[in-house]
Amino acid sequence: MKDNLLFLIACISGLRPLTVYGADVNYTFNIANSAVAPDGFRRIGVIVNGAFPGPLIQAQKTDTLHITVNNQLTNANMRRSTTIHWHGLFQSRTASEDGPAGVNQCPISPGHSYTYDIPLNGQAGTFWYHSHLSSQYVDGLRGALVIYDPQDPHRGLYDIDDANTVITLADWYHTAAPALQEVYIHGNGGGNHEPVPDAGLINGSGRYIGGPLVARSRVDVVAGKRYRLRVINISVYSGYEFSIEGHRLTIIEVDGINHVPFTVDRFEIYAGQRYSVILTANQPVRNYWIRAPMELQHASDNDNLDTEKVYAILHYAGAPAGDPSTKPGSPSGTLLEEHLLAPLENPGAPGGNRPADRTIDLNFQRDNDGQTEWTVNGIRYESPGVPTLLNVIANGFTTEADFKPSEHTFVLNKDQIIDLVIHGSANGHTHACSIPTPVEAINDGPTSLHGHAFDIIQGESGPVNYVNPPRRDVVGVKGSTVIIRFKTDNPGPWFLHCRTSPRDYEFTNR
Ligand SMILES: *[C@@H]1O[C@H](CO)[C@@H](O)[C@H](O)[C@H]1NC(C)=O
Ligand SMILES: *[C@@H]1O[C@H](CO)[C@@H](O)[C@H](O)[C@H]1NC(C)=O
Ligand SMILES: *[C@@H]1O[C@H](CO)[C@@H](O)[C@H](O)[C@H]1NC(C)=O
């Protein structure tokens, strides 16, 4: 929400269908203005099938997802059109199913339905989905998506990986998103405009100061077993530092990409990021604190928010019900440094250490002159009236000059090495930047997929690395310069953004 920077990367060349194998996996999402109370405060949201977070989507890597979205939204205080983005899925040859309103599709208007058909083409990992219309996902349209790999190279490292080992971290607001956005853009008379959430939730349960003692989420384990926990940050504004009392965590997957196992005591998780970690239940049978203190600026602006006491419970079979008898304490021990992570398969940035074919500098600036605006290279993004993909396919747009400057469209040739040099803003705000649909190496055929997101050649810390840099699809950018590299071999218009845009448009009739 705070970094409303949006960017387009269009990578134009033939869009062609790929042969599909595997099963059809169907979900129906009825999206309505239901009442929910994840932290004990009842409010109307933009809710999938009556609960927050939305349903967990599960499939195998050779399957095709068919997700039918029935838009039943009626509440005029929130956005009533909708679209859904499936964060991290490559969408090779299915750019039309990617979701961003104004880029890949027109919004689904109230009373209408749309079915997203997404062949997974062998891609596996931990993902999430969310509304990609303005800031609508703040109101609740978010959930987890897990694609399983029967040939997982890490399979020997864990015993259990199922719905109960998926852990979402979310921030939650008592106020509807359009009202928060108004304060964000135009201010409230005070100094800070960022909408600070009312509560932090682990797996959809949390508490706010003065609110009811909502039951904490509980992860059940059996002594001696090894669990693959899939931790997903589905927040709007907050990062978290995740740890489990008395247990180390071995990271094996980062944003859908397998990495060399790396053991830490705690890790930070930014916007949209995911980690699979192995937890071995090798401690005495009792209850332990799962801790995810929130990291966000100006937290004290909201008296409801307790950033520290964001807890869930790790419960060993045989232990009594209820909270652990220990004090939650302060997490300590080794904190993950991202630059120490290395991909398990095909490490190395595309092109090695040779210069990129094209280098694009992105300067993020925030202007607080009366209204909050984020710009990239001095231009504020405005969602176009006609989606980018439609302009490419139907209107023959092929060059950057065909698009308006405010669309920020870069047209990239196929099979080129691209460096994005992202300069953090001077005020040290953290951006969590993603190209929601990453752009690398889909070889033809479901079995030879080498799914690549981007390589972080230069992260927030650590040396420049072309040999085995971390590979993921969301990178945190604080005050310094971060360089990410990818190869353009997935044709289509792809959106690069850092948070959501508070300004775009809505089609109410079609
Ligand atoms: C799943 O959805 C697809 C596409 O909408 C449809 O063709 C198929 O019949 C559905 N399968 C089931 C079991 O409903
Ligand atoms: C956490 O949420 C996921 C769905 O988002 C669910 O499948 C899982 O059972 C939940 N786990 C716990 C421990 O509540
Ligand atoms: C997760 O954490 C970061 C911290 O920077 C936050 O900005 C982000 O919006 C959070 N939410 C999501 C969806 O990742």
Side-chain angles (χ1 to χ4, degrees):
M1 183 97 164
K2 91 189 140 103
D3 303 346
N4 48 329
L5 292 173
L6 302 136
F7 249 89
L8 296 175
I9 299 227
C11 168
I12 295 171
S13 78
L15 298 157
R16 67 193 160 86
L18 195 69
T19 319
V20 169
Y21 308 90
D24 289 309
V25 175
N26 294 14
Y27 284 86
T28 300
F29 277 18
N30 294 317
I31 300 182
N33 295 117
S34 314
V36 288
D39 62 349
F41 178 94
R42 192 173 177 280
R43 64 158 286 192
I44 306 290
V46 174
I47 302 297
V48 188
N49 299 353
F52 176 84
L56 170 64
I57 294 183
Q58 294 173 288
Q60 303 286 322
K61 69 177 185 177
T62 47
D63 294 343
T64 296
L65 287 171
H66 303 284
I67 302 155
T68 297
V69 173
N70 298 318
N71 182 346
Q72 302 168 352
L73 296 169
T74 54
N75 189 310
N77 294 325
M78 286 169 272
R79 298 299 292 264
R80 282 170 292 178
S81 291
T82 194
T83 67
I84 301 183
H85 171 60
W86 318 94
H87 181 120
L89 297 185
F90 290 141
Q91 299 282 12
S92 177
R93 282 92 180 176
T94 50
S96 59
E97 311 303 285
D98 197 40
V103 178
N104 305 79
Q105 70 170 106
C106 295
I108 305 162
S109 48
H112 288 77
S113 298
Y114 180 76
T115 299
Y116 289 90
D117 296 312
I118 309 171
L120 296 168
N121 289 326
Q123 187 180 8
T126 309
F127 306 97
W128 66 297
Y129 59 83
H130 59 92
S131 161
H132 215 301
L133 178 88
S134 184
S135 52
Q136 187 183 52
Y137 82 124
V138 177
D139 289 323
L141 206 179
R142 353 171 194 158
L145 190 166
V146 176
I147 313 295
Y148 297 93
D149 179 3
Q151 289 100 36
D152 178 11
H154 288 311
R155 188 66 190 83
L157 299 179
Y158 55 89
D159 304 304
I160 299 182
D161 175 25
D162 60 18
N164 296 319
T165 62
V166 174
I167 300 178
T168 60
L169 306 175
D171 48 17
W172 187 249
Y173 292 83
H174 294 170
T175 308
L180 295 172
Q181 197 171 296
E182 190 51 30
V183 171
Y184 177 64
I185 295 172
H186 298 293
N188 55 2
N192 303 315
H193 300 171
E194 275 92 3
V196 173
D198 295 283
L201 314 178
I202 300 183
N203 240 38
S205 293
R207 299 179 183 180
Y208 65 97
I209 293 172
L213 300 183
V214 173
R216 302 199 185 280
S217 292
R218 195 176 100 172
V219 177
D220 289 329
V221 295
V222 172
K225 299 269 190 223
R226 300 164 304 166
Y227 294 82
R228 177 179 184 153
L229 305 181
R230 296 172 179 266
V231 182
I232 312 177
N233 177 359
I234 63 165
S235 291
V236 173
Y237 181 37
S238 311
Y240 300 84
E241 188 191 289
F242 187 88
S243 65
I244 302 182
E245 182 193 6
H247 295 76
R248 305 204 83 198
L249 303 168
T250 301
I251 294 172
I252 57 167
E253 179 220 334
V254 178
D255 295 355
I257 310 286
N258 290 317
H259 278 67
V260 176
F262 191 83
T263 301
V264 297
D265 294 294
R266 50 201 176 109
F267 57 88
E268 290 175 295
I269 178 163
Y270 293 125
Q273 294 184 330
R274 294 89 65 204
Y275 288 99
S276 278
V277 297
I278 293 168
L279 170 131
T280 303
N282 57 4
Q283 295 299 306
V285 169
R286 63 173 180 89
N287 295 303
Y288 296 85
W289 293 105
I290 299 176
R291 297 164 299 210
M294 301 166 83
E295 300 179 339
L296 74 172
Q297 292 173 322
H298 315 307
S300 61
D301 285 3
N302 189 336
D303 292 338
N304 286 340
L305 181 65
D306 186 334
T307 56
E308 281 306 310
K309 296 196 185 104
V310 182
Y311 300 139
I313 297 167
L314 180 76
H315 171 81
Y316 276 64
D323 284 358
S325 52
T326 46
K327 289 250 183 307
S330 285
S332 60
T334 312
L335 179 66
L336 172 68
E337 292 175 68
E338 184 187 60
H339 69 95
L340 298 176
L341 294 169
L344 183 71
E345 292 133 332
N346 307 314
N353 63 1
R354 80 165 163 84
D357 298 309
R358 182 161 176 195
T359 298
I360 298 173
D361 271 77
L362 305 176
N363 281 290
F364 289 41
Q365 280 306 328
R366 189 168 89 149
D367 175 0
N368 236 341
D369 245 13
Q371 59 174 35
T372 307
E373 295 197 330
W374 281 92
T375 58
V376 178
N377 297 346
I379 301 173
R380 180 164 60 81
Y381 175 82
E382 288 187 47
S383 189
V386 176
T388 311
L389 182 59
L390 196 59
N391 272 330
V392 172
I393 291 176
N395 297 332
F397 283 24
T398 52
T399 68
E400 288 174 4
D402 291 335
F403 299 92
K404 281 190 230 149
S406 60
E407 293 179 49
H408 274 310
T409 301
F410 293 97
V411 176
L412 306 177
N413 294 328
K414 198 160 180 296
D415 293 326
Q416 298 222 304
I417 310 290
I418 308 295
D419 280 356
L420 295 183
V421 183
I422 304 171
H423 303 282
S425 64
N427 58 15
H429 280 265
T430 303
H431 310 272
C433 296
S434 61
I435 304 175
T437 306
V439 201
E440 244 241 24
I442 310 286
N443 296 333
D444 282 342
T447 52
S448 61
L449 173 131
H450 300 130
H452 290 44
F454 49 70
D455 283 69
I456 305 174
I457 290 170
Q458 170 73 74
E460 272 291 331
S461 64
V464 172
N465 181 359
Y466 292 98
V467 178
N468 61 351
R471 184 176 296 151
R472 62 187 318 164
D473 63 29
V474 180
V475 62
V477 183
K478 292 180 189 157
S480 61
T481 292
V482 166
I483 305 176
I484 61 177
R485 171 172 285 203
F486 62 92
K487 189 174 174 195
T488 51
D489 52 9
N490 188 5
W494 307 122
F495 209 30
L496 165 69
H497 70 139
C498 304
R499 304 291 164 70
T500 57
S501 167
R503 285 160 176 268
D504 62 7
Y505 67 107
E506 181 165 17
F507 292 115
T508 46
N509 302 298
R510 281 197 301 163

